[in-house]
Amino acid sequence: MIGFRRPIKKDCKTIFKWRNHPEVRRHFFNSGEIPFPEHVKWFEDSLQRDDRIILLAFREEDAIGVLRFDIAETDPDTAEINIYVAPDLHGKGLGTKILEHGEKWIKKNTSIRQLTAKVKEENDASLKMFSRCG
């Protein structure tokens, strides 16, 4: 079972390590390494934003990934989803499970009904995952 919670200040370092891991960031459109002070500012700002929801995904008690929903400025029922799995858990099908449970969470807890995603063409795993999940 996958569970979620909103990140808290102590999660900043874990999310930073995951985001900057070469296997994670190579799939981002901005694939450069982020300096820690820049990440801290982004993290703290993101937690205060009304148009962004960040969730830390858990399996049992272990953090396994991050979901981010950026709510569209022109349509509050639509959000762009971003997802990544902890680097040491790649290839285990957890991205699909996080996405499936995340879709249920967002529909249960918000007015968001439409999700979109941007994926690099060479990111076969993400393309397959989003395709499977519709």
Side-chain angles (χ1 to χ4, degrees):
M1 180 71 167
I2 305 292
F4 299 98
R5 72 165 169 79
R6 304 247 185 172
I8 56 177
K9 194 170 186 164
K10 73 174 188 164
D11 299 318
C12 183
K13 198 170 201 173
T14 298
I15 293 172
F16 170 74
K17 283 193 244 181
W18 290 352
R19 191 273 174 230
N20 264 353
H21 190 281
E23 282 302 307
V24 173
R25 66 183 165 89
R26 74 183 179 101
H27 297 296
F28 290 165
F29 287 99
N30 175 10
S31 59
E33 197 167 331
I34 304 291
F36 187 64
E38 189 176 317
H39 172 76
V40 170
K41 182 175 180 357
W42 172 88
F43 183 80
E44 290 173 353
D45 290 348
S46 290
L47 295 182
Q48 302 302 314
R49 288 176 60 168
D50 292 332
D51 64 341
R52 176 171 287 162
I53 298 168
I54 300 176
L55 299 173
L56 202 54
F58 284 83
R59 183 178 58 186
E60 297 174 14
E61 294 180 19
D62 299 321
I64 60 169
V66 175
L67 274 175
R68 189 181 85 222
F69 300 92
D70 289 330
I71 301 166
E73 190 175 315
T74 57
D75 182 4
D77 293 337
T78 300
E80 182 177 311
I81 188 170
N82 291 275
I83 181 173
Y84 54 94
V85 176
D88 59 330
L89 298 173
H90 284 189
K92 299 180 186 292
L94 290 173
T96 300
K97 290 177 183 173
I98 292 170
L99 180 58
E100 289 170 346
H101 287 276
E103 286 177 309
K104 291 175 188 171
W105 187 97
I106 204 74
K107 288 179 180 176
K108 179 181 177 186
N109 293 287
T110 73
S111 65
I112 295 168
R113 296 294 172 255
Q114 179 72 34
L115 296 174
T116 63
K118 293 178 185 169
V119 180
K120 282 181 159 182
E121 286 182 28
E122 63 271 13
N123 189 347
D124 290 333
S126 286
L127 290 170
K128 288 176 185 172
M129 175 189 68
F130 281 112
S131 182
R132 275 193 303 269
C133 293

